[in-house]
Amino acid sequence: MSDVVEKTLTALPSLLSLDSQPGSAKLSSNSKLGNLIRGITELTSKHEEEKLIQRELLLIKEQVSSPNTTMKQMKELMVRAIYCEMLGYGVSFSYIHAIKLAQQGNVLEKRVGYLAVSLFLNEGHELLLLLVNTVLKDLQSTNLIEVCMALTVVSQMFPKDMIPAILPLVEEKLNHPKEIIRRKAVLALYKFYLIAPNQVQHIHNKFRKALCDKDPGVMSASLHIYLQLIQENPEGYKDLAPSFVTILTQVVGGKLPMDFNYHSVPAPWLQIHLLRILSLLGKNDQSTSEIMYDILDESLRRAEMNHNITYAILYECVKCIYTIYPKSDLLEKAAKCIGNFVLSAKINLKYLGLKALTYVVQQDPKLALQHQMTIIECLDHPDLIIKRETLELLFRITNDQNVTVIVEKMLDFLRISKDDHTSMDLVGKVAELAEKYPYKCFSVCI
Amino acid sequence: MRRVELCCVNCWRNVRMIKFVLMVNQQGQTRLSKYYEPVELSRRAALEAVAVRCCLSRSKHQCSFVEYKDFKLVYRQYAALYVVVGITHSENELSIYELIQNFVEVLDKYFSRVSELDIMFNLDSVHIILDEMIQNGHIVETNKSRILAPLTAIDKMADG
């Protein structure tokens, strides 16, 4: 038996005697889940696993249908069912009981019921309709935890046709004194917008209110909706550009509470989100882009720490600078940034640098030229992923002079590629190049 | 969209989302799986097996992003456990790489130094935590206290 499995088994007895502390492995000696897992871990073959799970499924099936099963037991049964389905064994007989658990259980049992439903069912499932009444009831509960749960489940899956029934209740939550409720209500509305946009047309002013919410979490949640809306119709939201710039300025300037920091970087994923929104708004629009230049410059400056997350922000920043209306000194700084990535010894950064180069190279072919030695080195890099990304880049800068070499390198890669999808994509590219430069490619392809 | 992205054969490149989150150990045993788009049960085992093989075959000197079929895998190793996140091409790989770290730090906070066993025996709690962070394939919360608040409140009520 392997080391890992041995360690698992030897650790089990000590875990069984642990005091129950919040968060630590809660195992009681009569935990059926514990027994199941221990049972699986002891097995050595797939066939034996199948036998054990089939036995377990029969047991679960019997117990969920029994009228004597308490909600507490049902909760445990659901977790075992989730576990079995995770291993690939269908537990459709327990779906209805998951819904019942969400309906009838206490707070913890209800949460597990909702969890099971979100894992077992999918968007169009007929059983989902049965959940609607439970969700409606929980949305009106005086217990805020239950309201949160209901909003979470609504954001994950909800039958499109029942949106009118629930919409007023969710809208009402937008004014709730607790930020978590407001935040989850916004996310629920985002879900509604994704599955039935015409149903939420009338409440766009409420999205604006969420954007201006004093709580950064609620404001963050509204950005999901805005990113979607702006992708579909950037013209309609240019007037919000100053607001997004102001928000990003405040975030970068460290105005958010400390717990929004990740390794001393203020709300990095929020920064990335805002940068994406600004890209969409500033594209091909000089006046809108002009209000962004300062904060983009500041972001480039601030993100100088040596941490992956600051590099991730820098990447988005650079993309934004190259997408919006060009400003030469910003472009210069962004180009330098890309250069640093491509030249980095850290392989993840090199990859990001190549990806950024691929993105900007049509706008700035000189940049690729500047780094051509590094690009050539990357062509022979031992990591196939780097090689592949380099070929992607080269495809974009093909011209009369270099097409022969580039097609040769692509054919070399095709000989060693084991991934069908990559091969197909490359073959497509070679074909495209052959069509564009027929005389040059003829000799290579024979 | 930019000409660069439209150059690609499929238009899926314009969609940005997280497709799934997996926690798999070196033996290929799935400890957690969460899918943000419908994937048939029968296809999941194969997907998870390939995903872990992909990651296991990579060395420390190779990058943490792997192309797989028409999307990408971002993976990170913690002792014997791999966290693998499937993303579309236009997602920011490094930001997801750090999201994985944030997720593990949240688990560390909740379980006081999380281990593979914690995840195995508290599958429901780990799912609840993940639900707070990612919904519909998008990152919805990254503030650790806010991620843990609902679960902590439930625990308190359950303990009575």
Side-chain angles (χ1 to χ4, degrees):
Chain A
M1 221 186 280
S2 79
D3 255 47
V4 172
V5 177
E6 260 178 350
K7 274 189 213 154
T8 307
L9 289 179
T10 49
L12 270 173
S14 60
L15 272 174
L16 283 168
S17 60
L18 260 182
D19 291 312
S20 120
Q21 291 163 34
S24 63
K26 294 175 168 97
L27 255 196
S28 57
S29 50
N30 60 359
S31 158
K32 303 245 174 47
L33 177 65
N35 287 336
L36 171 62
I37 294 179
R38 184 171 49 189
I40 298 270
T41 327
E42 278 169 3
L43 297 173
T44 47
S45 82
K46 182 82 190 162
H47 177 66
E48 287 179 35
E49 178 194 278
E50 227 180 279
K51 268 170 55 190
L52 183 78
I53 299 277
Q54 294 297 359
R55 267 205 314 268
E56 175 74 13
L57 287 177
L58 281 174
L59 215 72
I60 297 177
K61 192 166 185 176
E62 192 194 303
Q63 288 173 353
V64 292
S65 339
S66 156
N68 301 324
T69 306
T70 65
M71 282 299 118
K72 186 170 176 193
Q73 290 164 329
M74 190 66 88
K75 166 187 160 301
E76 243 235 306
L77 286 164
M78 280 304 119
V79 180
R80 280 151 67 193
I82 290 172
Y83 181 76
C84 292
E85 213 172 72
M86 184 172 77
L87 294 182
Y89 301 85
V91 292
S92 48
F93 57 82
S94 58
Y95 294 176
I96 185 78
H97 299 282
I99 296 184
K100 262 175 55 191
L101 183 62
Q103 269 171 0
Q104 300 168 7
N106 70 18
V107 168
L108 179 55
E109 291 151 9
K110 190 185 276 280
R111 183 64 186 89
V112 173
Y114 276 140
L115 171 68
V117 168
S118 73
L119 290 172
F120 292 154
L121 305 183
N122 56 50
E123 210 70 61
H125 205 284
E126 66 242 4
L127 282 182
L128 213 51
L129 284 171
L130 293 175
L131 195 66
V132 174
N133 276 328
T134 316
V135 168
L136 282 172
K137 186 162 151 273
D138 285 335
L139 271 182
Q140 298 171 83
S141 167
T142 48
N143 183 337
L144 289 183
I145 305 177
E146 288 180 356
V147 178
C148 279
M149 277 190 230
L151 287 169
T152 303
V153 124
V154 165
S155 307
Q156 290 171 320
M157 55 179 62
F158 197 76
K160 201 160 77 162
D161 301 326
M162 300 302 289
I163 291 180
I166 201 173
L167 190 54
L169 277 173
V170 175
E171 270 182 71
E172 178 192 274
K173 299 287 176 251
L174 289 173
N175 302 317
H176 199 278
K178 281 272 183 223
E179 65 77 23
I180 188 172
I181 308 275
R182 293 198 308 275
R183 175 164 56 92
K184 284 183 178 284
V186 173
L187 291 172
L189 290 174
Y190 172 53
K191 176 70 174 179
F192 293 164
Y193 184 77
L194 286 177
I195 58 180
N198 47 319
Q199 303 265 18
V200 295
Q201 285 304 340
H202 62 291
I203 52 173
H204 280 215
N205 57 321
K206 301 208 173 157
F207 299 156
R208 292 213 173 203
K209 208 166 148 232
L211 182 62
C212 307
D213 196 294
K214 60 183 192 293
D215 184 275
V218 183
M219 177 277 297
S220 268
S222 75
L223 292 183
H224 287 98
I225 303 182
Y226 277 110
L227 186 59
Q228 189 70 30
L229 289 170
I230 294 172
Q231 261 170 348
E232 292 162 8
N233 173 25
E235 295 304 317
Y237 299 91
K238 300 275 175 148
D239 61 315
L240 283 179
S243 307
F244 294 124
V245 170
T246 309
I247 297 173
L248 183 57
T249 310
Q250 288 175 338
V251 175
V252 171
K255 299 285 189 323
L256 290 180
M258 289 287 280
D259 59 351
F260 283 93
N261 284 1
Y262 169 75
H263 293 216
S264 309
V265 180
W269 291 277
L270 172 56
Q271 287 191 47
I272 288 174
H273 221 162
L274 286 163
L275 287 166
R276 287 175 182 165
I277 289 178
L278 290 178
S279 297
L280 291 169
L281 290 175
K283 192 171 171 187
N284 295 326
D285 182 334
Q286 184 171 10
S287 52
T288 308
S289 297
E290 270 167 5
I291 63 172
M292 300 177 191
Y293 295 147
D294 281 343
I295 188 53
L296 288 172
D297 193 50
E298 182 69 22
S299 293
L300 279 180
R301 238 180 26 87
R302 291 278 183 141
E304 259 160 28
M305 270 175 63
N306 266 354
H307 193 288
N308 276 332
I309 197 61
T310 52
Y311 297 138
I313 298 173
L314 269 177
Y315 174 78
E316 285 303 325
C317 208
V318 161
K319 268 183 85 167
C320 184
I321 292 171
Y322 272 94
T323 310
I324 63 176
Y325 199 83
K327 180 166 193 266
S328 52
D329 60 319
L330 263 185
L331 285 172
E332 239 177 76
K333 291 183 186 166
K336 187 149 172 271
C337 192
I338 296 179
N340 288 339
F341 279 2
V342 175
L343 294 169
S344 172
K346 294 187 191 152
I347 190 128
N348 286 344
L349 287 185
K350 205 186 267 292
Y351 177 83
L352 223 62
L354 287 171
K355 204 174 165 200
L357 259 182
T358 310
Y359 185 78
V360 313
V361 85
Q362 278 166 329
Q363 253 196 29
D364 186 2
K366 293 185 332 294
L367 192 56
L369 214 59
Q370 208 180 327
H371 295 287
Q372 62 178 348
M373 283 320 293
T374 315
I375 296 173
I376 291 172
E377 272 168 31
C378 288
L379 263 183
D380 293 314
H381 202 278
D383 187 348
L384 283 182
I385 304 298
I386 298 276
K387 247 183 152 111
R388 171 80 177 87
E389 191 61 38
T390 316
L391 285 173
E392 192 70 44
L393 169 58
L394 290 176
F395 175 69
R396 307 236 185 293
I397 57 172
T398 325
N399 58 37
D400 238 5
Q401 275 90 52
N402 59 26
V403 63
T404 322
V405 175
I406 291 178
V407 171
E408 252 168 27
K409 288 290 180 182
M410 285 185 175
L411 292 174
D412 281 339
F413 190 89
L414 274 169
R415 284 184 200 107
I416 53 172
S417 169
K418 295 199 187 75
D419 178 50
D420 286 339
H421 210 271
T422 311
S423 302
M424 262 166 52
D425 187 65
L426 268 181
V427 165
K429 289 189 160 70
V430 170
E432 225 181 287
L433 291 175
E435 232 183 278
K436 219 169 155 190
Y437 306 96
Y439 300 109
K440 296 273 178 169
C441 290
F442 192 65
S443 52
V444 181
C445 296
I446 294 184
Chain B
M1 285 305 275
R2 283 191 66 77
R3 239 183 85 217
V4 169
E5 286 174 278
L6 283 175
C7 257
C8 309
V9 176
N10 306 325
C11 59
W12 41 255
R13 284 201 181 230
N14 297 339
V15 170
R16 184 189 286 123
M17 70 178 287
I18 293 170
K19 295 165 85 80
F20 55 80
V21 174
L22 301 174
M23 292 178 103
V24 192
N25 70 12
Q26 280 176 328
Q27 273 63 40
Q29 293 167 311
T30 305
R31 294 307 184 202
L32 181 130
S33 67
K34 184 87 121 188
Y35 290 85
Y36 297 102
E37 347 164 89
V39 175
E40 253 172 61
L41 212 56
S42 50
R43 284 184 51 220
R44 292 185 190 191
L47 174 71
E48 289 160 26
V50 175
V52 85
R53 258 206 313 275
C54 253
C55 302
L56 281 176
S57 64
R58 303 206 27 103
S59 78
K60 255 198 312 249
H61 308 291
Q62 294 178 302
C63 66
S64 319
F65 323 126
V66 185
E67 292 205 10
Y68 175 62
K69 291 205 185 202
D70 61 344
F71 54 92
K72 283 204 175 103
L73 302 174
V74 179
Y75 68 93
R76 210 159 171 162
Q77 186 179 2
Y78 295 93
L81 207 60
Y82 283 87
V83 183
V84 187
V85 179
I87 55 169
T88 56
H89 275 268
S90 39
E91 187 57 86
N92 181 328
E93 291 92 338
L94 209 50
S95 88
I96 300 296
Y97 187 70
E98 287 304 306
L99 183 75
I100 295 176
Q101 174 66 16
N102 196 13
F103 174 47
V104 172
E105 285 178 10
V106 173
L107 292 177
D108 263 344
K109 195 169 170 187
Y110 184 70
F111 291 107
S112 315
R113 290 202 67 217
V114 67
S115 70
E116 189 179 339
L117 283 172
D118 288 318
I119 296 166
M120 285 159 68
F121 291 113
N122 297 282
L123 192 55
D124 49 342
S125 301
V126 182
H127 267 288
I128 292 171
I129 290 172
L130 192 53
D131 271 350
E132 290 299 314
M133 292 181 77
I134 305 175
Q135 269 178 13
N136 296 306
H138 300 290
I139 305 169
V140 293
E141 185 59 82
T142 54
N143 176 324
K144 291 188 182 60
S145 338
R146 292 188 174 202
I147 292 168
L148 288 176
L151 185 54
T152 321
I154 292 173
D155 283 341
K156 241 194 216 129
M157 279 208 80
D159 287 340

